[in-house]
Amino acid sequence: MAYPWRPLAHIAARRTALGVLTAAGDPLAAWFFRGGRSDVHATFERIRSRGPLVTSRSGLRAVTSHALCGELLRHPDLGVQLPGNAEFRTDPLATGFSPTLSRSFLTLDPPDHARLRRVAAPGFRPRAVRSWRPRLEAIANDLAERAALTARREGSVDLMAAFAAPFPIAVIADVLGVGDVDADRFAHIGALVGTALDGIRTPAQADAVRAGGQELEAMFARLLDERAAEPRDDVLSVIAAARQRGEASVTDALGVAGLLLLAGFETTVNLVGNAVVALRERPEVWDELVGAPDLAPAVVEEALRHSTSVQATARIAHVDTELAGRPVPAGSPVIAFLAAANRDPDVYARPAVFDPHRSGEADHLAFSSGEHYCLGAALARMEGDVALRALTAAMPGLRLAPGARVRRGRIVRGFERLPVTLG
């Protein structure tokens, strides 16, 4: 199904306006216009210098401080839907993706949000997550050894294609109960969704994103029916059981399953790549991790803070309210720059420095906060821990090689390609 030209023309006109404002020195417009093509943290600092709540000449509002981002994410008067309009949501999966899969609890406000979150929550309880560790370690060790073998044989290896993408894809597929999957195909669909985060720009992109969503929807419809008939020890069986009890509709169940799959690997793919780059830019910290693998959990937390994968999220005022003592009219979106909050100089000493030995500082906001705090945070943390231990064991002499390519999107920050050698 092709998208109509009018919305795409509207996006083009908006980009033109943002380009004009960028040229005029509007840093918030610059972030929207340039995205991943700019020095994003320099842009964040220019936005931060404008004050606690910045309003662009385009009408956009944003906050960059750790305190205000946290307040925004927990504010009772702000949510992810426009007041009285359930069809407009701030979640990127609602932009151009499958209409069914776009209905996840990430796109909903209470009480629907809490109801659907409860559908998946039993599958991500701490005991369940801890029980997955041996399987994660087996997958990570195998992939890391294969990547090391390729690097020795060919002189280098793309860490994203050989490890950072297939590892979390295999993990979330196993946890959900999807079974053997085509890792390259899922990575492609994840990349398509990543492009949708910044808006649909062409009919071809719109069709590709929608086709990917429909492909996942068909797969999950089949698997959920199978689990309803023959439950297993996996998260899809948990969702299928909730559907049978009347706690979730067919559409709800498909939306939850799709969200867990896509969010379950897309975030960790970038966490692994970003962490490796940050570590190799401080070789002494990499060497410390090689000699002391138990430092891995602290490295993961610092990578989440220092190199935040999901750069921003948004909330919409449900009523006329205030933030930082300034009015925010009902219906107005406000952007929370999570990556900027995680480098707030009022909260973190030497915020641009990657330092896993930090202590006594505020928790980062990489997993958001409030009602929409990431359901899979514990799994992502464990995946990062396991991944770094596997890489440092299999590739202790890992070095960055020329040819790295950063993703161009403005919402998700990570690498499309990351060549490495064994030194």
Side-chain angles (χ1 to χ4, degrees), residues 105 116-126 128 235 238 256 260 375:
F105 52 82
L116 292 187
R117 188 179 175 102
R118 285 195 297 269
V119 169
F124 290 87
R125 287 175 178 150
V235 174
V238 172
V256 170
L260 294 178
L375 179 63

Side-chain angles (χ1 to χ4, degrees), residues 83-95:
N85 183 0
E87 296 304 313
F88 183 92
R89 303 180 181 120
T90 61
D91 179 68
L93 285 181
T95 305

Side-chain angles (χ1 to χ4, degrees), residues 79-146:
V80 297
Q81 296 174 245
L82 273 174
N85 183 0
E87 296 304 313
F88 183 92
R89 303 180 181 120
T90 61
D91 179 68
L93 285 181
T95 305
F97 206 50
S98 159
T100 302
L101 290 187
S102 69
R103 182 180 169 81
S104 71
F105 52 82
L106 204 63
T107 71
L108 299 171
D109 288 322
D112 286 335
H113 170 266
R115 177 178 60 82
L116 292 187
R117 188 179 175 102
R118 285 195 297 269
V119 169
F124 290 87
R125 287 175 178 150
R127 178 179 292 183
V129 172
R130 288 193 298 269
S131 73
W132 300 331
R133 187 168 187 117
R135 174 62 176 153
L136 267 64
E137 290 173 339
I139 295 170
N141 290 336
D142 177 62
L143 287 169
E145 289 166 6
R146 290 176 184 233

Side-chain angles (χ1 to χ4, degrees), residues 309-340:
S309 298
V310 179
Q311 300 272 289
T313 187
R315 295 293 184 267
I316 300 171
H318 287 170
V319 296
D320 291 343
T321 187
E322 284 191 354
L323 197 64
R326 296 175 62 182
V328 178
S332 300
V334 184
I335 303 163
F337 283 120
L338 305 178

Side-chain angles (χ1 to χ4, degrees), residues 325-406:
R326 296 175 62 182
V328 178
S332 300
V334 184
I335 303 163
F337 283 120
L338 305 178
N342 288 339
R343 291 195 182 191
D344 186 341
D346 290 337
V347 174
Y348 302 103
R350 301 186 305 156
V353 175
F354 185 86
D355 179 8
H357 296 289
R358 293 178 182 275
S359 63
E361 294 177 334
D363 293 339
H364 60 74
L365 296 174
F367 292 122
S368 192
S369 185
E371 294 173 336
H372 285 274
Y373 184 81
C374 178
L375 179 63
L379 176 59
R381 285 184 162 109
M382 188 166 67
E383 285 180 293
D385 176 11
V386 168
L388 291 176
R389 291 175 190 262
L391 285 173
T392 51
M395 308 173 73
L398 180 149
R399 299 287 187 276
L400 301 180
R405 186 167 60 243
V406 177

